[in-house]
Amino acid sequence: MLVIGGRWQLDDLSTPGVLPRESAQRLAVRQIEASQLVGLDTAGAMLLLELIGKPDELPELVGMRPGDAELLKLVNQRLHQKKSPPKRRDHGWLTMFERTGAAVARAYQQGRLLLGFFGAVLETGLRVLLGRRRLRMTAAVHHMEQTGLDAVPIVCLLSFLIGAVVAYLGAIVLADFGASIFTVELVNFSFLREFGVLLTAILVAGRSGSAFTAEIGAMKSGQEIDAIRTLGLDPIELLVLPRMLALLIMMPVLSFLATLSGMLGGGLVGIIELDLSPGLYLTRMQETTELRHLWVGLIKAPVFAFLIAVVGCLEGLKVQGSAASVGQHTTSAVVQGIFLVIFVDALFAVFFMEIGL
Amino acid sequence: MSEDLIIRIRGLRNAFGPQVVHENLDLDVRRGEILGIIGGSGSGKSVLMKSIIGLLRPSAGSIDVDGMDALSTEPSERARLERSWGVMFQDGALFSSLTVLENVMVPLIEHYRGLPEEFVERLARLKIALAALPYEAGAKFPSELSGGMRKRAAVARALALDPQILFFDEPTAGLDPIAAAEFDQLLLTLSRSLGLTVIVITHDLDTLYTVCDRVAVVSAKRIIATAPIAELEQNDDPWLQQYFLGPRGRAAAHAGSNSGAAPALPTEA
C-alpha cells in the first residue's frame, strides 16, 4: 500500500528537489491510500503513475476524492496510449547525408519547375504574338512605370558611385606602373561590358523580382489565382506576361542609363584625380573604346530581365497558404534571381571571350 | 443560496470611443460547469472573453476570477490569474515557428523555470494525449496539421498549466461535422474528468445542445439570460425565439434529444 498526501500539483513540483530522480525505483503497489491528498492535477497524476510503473490497471484507490480519481483515470488512459517508437533525432553523419540528398532533390525539382515555367511563359508569349491571346498593354505599362521609371534614380546613383570607386582604384593601382591613363579604359570597358548591366540586374532583382513575388504571392494566398483560373482566364497571360514584357523593355533602358552614369562617375574622378582635361579624357575614350563593347553589355539585359521576371513570378505562384510563405518565397526569389544573373553573366563572359568580341 | 462561483462579473462596461459594447453587464459562472455564450455577430461575445482574460481593459465594472480581482495589474497576482485559465483562440494561434510539442512546452518552461526539461517534455506529451492528438503530432509544425488538429494542439497548449478554466472561441468553426462532434466530446471529457470550468463562445447549435450545461445570451449590451438551454427555448425574447425555433435550431434540438442526455463520462473514439 502506498499512502500519499499533501498537494500533487505543478506549483509544488517545480520547487527544486521535489521531483524524484530519473533513476528512482518503480514501486509495486496494489493500493493507494489518498485520504490526505489535498490537490491533484495532471502533472501530479503523471508523476504518481510513473512512480507506480504498472501501465495497465490502476491500483485500488482508497479515500480519494471522486474528482481526483476521475482525473487519475483519464491521465492513466491517455498516458499509456499506444506510441509509435519515438524518432531519434540523429544529428550525425546520417542526417547530414539525408539533408544533402534532400537539398539536391529539391534543387533538381526547382530546376525542372523553372524550365517548365520557362516553357509555359514562352508558349503563352507565342500565342500572344499569333494573336490568339490578348496582350494586356495597360498592365504592362503600369509595370514599366513601377519597375523602370521608378528605378531610374537609384540605378543611376549607384552606378555613378561605383564608377567613381572603380576610377579611384584604377588611378591608385595603375599609377605604380606609370600607366594611370589606362584608368579611362578600365572604367569604360568595365561599365560598358559588365557593370552597367550587372548592377542594374542585381538592383532590379532585389527591387522588382521581389515585388513580383510578393504581389503574386499575396494574390495566391488570397485564392485570387484560383479565382482567375476558375473564371477561365490564364494567370500567365494576365499576371506574368505584362510583368515580363515590362522588364524586357525597361531593363535595357535602365542598363544603358546605368552605363552612362558609371562612365560619368568614373570620368569625373579620372579628370580630377589624374589631372586630365575633359577634352583629353574624351579623346582617349574615343580612341580606345569601340562601340561593340556597348552591344556586348546591352545584349545581356533582356536575358537577365527574362530570368528575373520568370523567377519572381514563379516564386509568387509557388506561395501556399499563409503570409509567412510569401516572405519565404520573396527571399528565395531574390536569392535565385541574383544567382542566376551572375551565373549567366559568367557564361556570357566566357562565350564572348572565346568568340573574340 | 451561496453558489460556488468561479467567475463573477458585475456592472461591466466596455466601450470603443462612442460605441458602447457592454453596459452594466452581469455574469456568473459556476465552478465545473460548461457555459455557452451566444449572441448575434458583433454583439460583443469575444469582447467579453477578452475582458475576462485581461486582453482588454473594461472602462467600468468588476471581474472576480476564483476569488481574485481579474482587473488587478499587480504582477504576481496577474501571473496567478494567468495560470488559472487557458484559452483556445479561433484558429489555434499556435506559434508557427515551433512544433506542437514545443508549443505546449513554452508555457511550462516560462512559468516554471525549476522544472527539468525532460520532465516538461513528458508532461507536454501527456497534454497532447489529453487533447486526443496522436503521439506523432508532437513533432509536427502547425502548418502541417489540419484545422481540427490545430485546434486540438491549441487545447493541449491551453491545458499546459493545469488551468481551472478553459475558454474556447468558436471551437467548432470551420470543422466538418464529424470533427466537430469529436471536439464536442473532447470538451465534455476534459470538463468532466479534469473538473474544468469551460466557457464556450459558439454559433454551433449542436455544441450548445450536446455540451453546455447553461447558456448565456449576450444581447442589447447585457447578458439577457443565463439558463439551461431547455429554459431558453421557452424564453419569449424575439431574438431567442428566432435563434432556437428557426429551422436550424429545431434540427439541432431534434438531434440533441435523439441522442439522449450526454453520458456522464463519454469515451472517445
Side-chain angles (χ1 to χ4, degrees):
Chain A
M1 180 157 97
L2 177 71
V3 180
I4 58 171
R7 291 187 305 173
W8 287 63
Q9 282 170 328
L10 195 53
D11 271 323
D12 313 283
L13 295 179
S14 58
T15 321
V18 169
L19 278 182
R21 274 199 198 89
E22 195 43 23
S23 55
Q25 205 183 330
R26 299 282 179 268
L27 308 164
V29 186
R30 285 218 208 100
Q31 209 178 41
I32 297 180
E33 208 287 322
S35 49
Q36 299 298 309
L37 190 65
V38 186
L40 181 73
D41 65 8
T42 53
M46 183 178 87
L47 195 64
L48 180 61
L49 289 165
E50 283 175 350
L51 277 177
I52 52 168
K54 226 181 182 184
D56 301 327
E57 62 206 273
L58 269 181
E60 193 187 337
L61 305 170
V62 181
M64 191 179 270
R65 294 181 301 188
D68 290 345
E70 206 69 75
L71 185 144
L72 200 60
K73 275 181 205 154
L74 179 71
V75 171
N76 187 46
Q77 179 201 341
R78 292 296 162 80
L79 197 59
H80 301 299
Q81 234 175 19
K82 68 169 167 51
K83 294 173 188 171
S84 56
K87 230 195 241 169
R88 287 239 51 88
R89 259 199 233 169
D90 188 352
H91 294 292
W93 288 100
L94 212 61
T95 324
M96 199 189 86
F97 280 122
E98 186 190 322
R99 289 174 60 169
T100 311
V104 170
R106 246 198 326 274
Y108 171 71
Q109 282 299 333
Q110 169 66 15
R112 271 186 58 142
L113 212 59
L114 204 59
L115 285 177
F117 193 66
F118 271 15
V121 171
L122 285 178
E123 187 202 333
T124 316
L126 221 63
R127 282 176 197 275
V128 169
L129 285 184
L130 293 175
R132 300 246 176 90
R133 290 284 172 83
R134 269 177 58 207
L135 181 62
R136 313 280 163 166
M137 221 35 224
T138 319
V141 171
H142 167 79
H143 288 298
M144 279 162 74
E145 184 190 340
Q146 293 222 312
T147 59
L149 194 61
D150 292 353
V152 168
I154 184 80
V155 167
C156 288
L157 178 66
L158 250 103
S159 301
F160 181 87
L161 293 176
I162 302 269
V165 170
V166 170
Y168 263 118
L169 275 178
I172 292 168
V173 175
L174 295 175
D176 292 346
F177 304 101
S180 46
I181 189 70
F182 283 99
T183 305
V184 181
E185 280 99 314
L186 178 71
V187 170
N188 293 336
F189 279 39
S190 58
F191 266 87
L192 284 168
R193 293 182 70 109
E194 296 291 342
F195 285 176
V197 62
L198 199 59
L199 276 174
T200 311
I202 290 172
L203 271 170
V204 167
R207 207 180 159 277
S208 305
S210 61
F212 290 175
T213 310
E215 287 163 10
I216 295 179
M219 295 177 77
K220 179 84 190 287
S221 74
Q223 290 200 305
E224 283 179 60
I225 308 284
D226 296 343
I228 288 175
R229 286 217 172 91
T230 51
L231 291 172
L233 303 170
D234 181 5
I236 294 186
E237 175 195 333
L238 239 57
L239 302 174
V240 179
L241 275 187
R243 288 177 167 80
M244 172 152 301
L245 185 68
L247 264 197
L248 280 176
I249 294 174
M250 292 320 284
M251 188 83 141
V253 177
L254 282 177
S255 299
F256 182 68
L257 290 176
T259 307
L260 285 188
S261 310
M263 286 163 69
L264 186 69
L268 224 59
V269 168
I271 288 163
I272 296 166
E273 196 70 4
L274 301 176
D275 259 347
L276 295 172
S277 74
L280 196 64
Y281 190 95
L282 282 178
T283 317
R284 174 83 192 170
M285 191 161 107
Q286 234 169 10
E287 277 169 9
T288 56
T289 316
E290 295 169 57
L291 190 62
R292 66 183 163 94
H293 297 305
L294 178 68
W295 299 127
V296 165
L298 282 189
I299 203 164
K300 294 186 279 192
V303 179
F304 292 169
F306 184 74
L307 290 174
I308 292 168
V310 161
V311 168
C313 293
L314 176 62
E315 285 300 316
L317 289 171
K318 274 163 68 185
V319 164
Q320 283 180 342
S322 62
S325 171
V326 178
Q328 282 166 8
H329 284 285
T330 306
T331 311
S332 166
V334 174
V335 172
Q336 282 184 56
I338 293 178
F339 167 77
L340 281 176
V341 160
I342 293 180
F343 181 73
V344 172
D345 187 64
L347 291 184
F348 267 120
V350 174
F351 174 74
F352 286 135
M353 207 173 73
E354 289 298 320
I355 67 169
L357 266 176
Chain B
M1 190 178 95
S2 71
E3 286 174 309
D4 188 6
L5 296 181
I6 194 160
I7 298 180
R8 192 167 165 278
I9 303 178
R10 289 291 175 268
L12 185 75
R13 183 192 147 91
N14 270 311
F16 299 105
Q19 191 204 348
V20 179
V21 183
H22 299 135
E23 182 82 74
N24 210 9
L25 179 147
D26 295 348
L27 176 67
D28 289 334
V29 183
R30 297 175 193 153
R31 191 179 297 273
E33 77 171 338
I34 304 184
L35 179 78
I37 296 182
I38 61 172
S41 301
S43 60
K45 306 181 294 288
S46 295
V47 173
L48 177 58
M49 181 182 94
K50 281 185 185 168
S51 37
I52 300 174
I53 58 181
L55 292 178
L56 204 77
R57 207 170 165 74
S59 41
S62 72
I63 302 175
D64 280 5
V65 175
D66 205 12
M68 294 177 278
D69 176 14
L71 301 180
S72 157
T73 49
E74 207 254 312
S76 68
E77 182 90 348
R78 282 245 49 100
R80 279 215 306 144
L81 274 166
E82 275 151 18
R83 279 182 219 172
S84 70
W85 60 59
V87 185
M88 194 213 86
F89 291 97
Q90 211 178 98
D91 198 38
L94 295 166
F95 306 125
S96 55
S97 57
L98 304 178
T99 64
V100 170
L101 182 68
E102 288 164 341
N103 260 288
V104 182
M105 285 168 72
V106 163
L108 287 164
I109 292 172
E110 294 301 320
H111 278 279
Y112 297 101
R113 298 217 162 259
L115 289 173
E117 190 173 328
E118 175 272 337
F119 178 80
V120 169
E121 187 178 325
R122 273 186 293 147
L123 194 53
R125 291 216 183 271
L126 172 65
K127 309 286 172 176
I128 290 171
L130 282 174
L133 276 173
Y135 184 86
E136 305 80 53
K140 291 188 176 157
F141 284 94
S143 55
E144 300 170 308
L145 299 177
S146 69
M149 289 176 88
R150 262 208 296 281
K151 286 180 191 242
R152 283 168 190 273
V155 173
R157 189 178 67 182
L159 285 173
L161 298 176
D162 265 297
Q164 307 259 330
I165 310 165
L166 270 189
F167 289 91
F168 290 89
D169 192 359
E170 301 272 3
T172 54
L175 295 188
D176 65 74
I178 301 172
E182 282 173 359
F183 206 93
D184 287 347
Q185 290 307 318
L186 172 70
L187 240 155
L188 273 172
T189 314
L190 291 178
S191 161
R192 300 287 181 252
S193 296
L194 304 183
L196 297 175
T197 307
V198 176
I199 297 173
V200 197
I201 295 176
T202 189
H203 280 304
D204 188 333
L205 285 156
D206 292 304
T207 304
L208 290 175
Y209 276 99
T210 36
V211 174
C212 296
D213 298 317
R214 293 196 307 156
V215 174
V217 185
V218 186
S219 180
K221 299 170 192 170
R222 301 180 302 115
I223 302 274
I224 58 168
T226 310
I229 205 152
E231 279 177 43
L232 287 182
E233 286 175 357
Q234 312 301 325
N235 198 307
D236 50 11
D237 181 85
W239 187 80
L240 274 176
Q241 287 284 316
Q242 268 196 333
Y243 196 92
F244 287 112
L245 301 178
R248 289 169 150 246
R250 248 175 304 180
H254 187 65
S257 63
N258 264 0
S259 66
L265 181 66
T267 47
E268 281 172 69

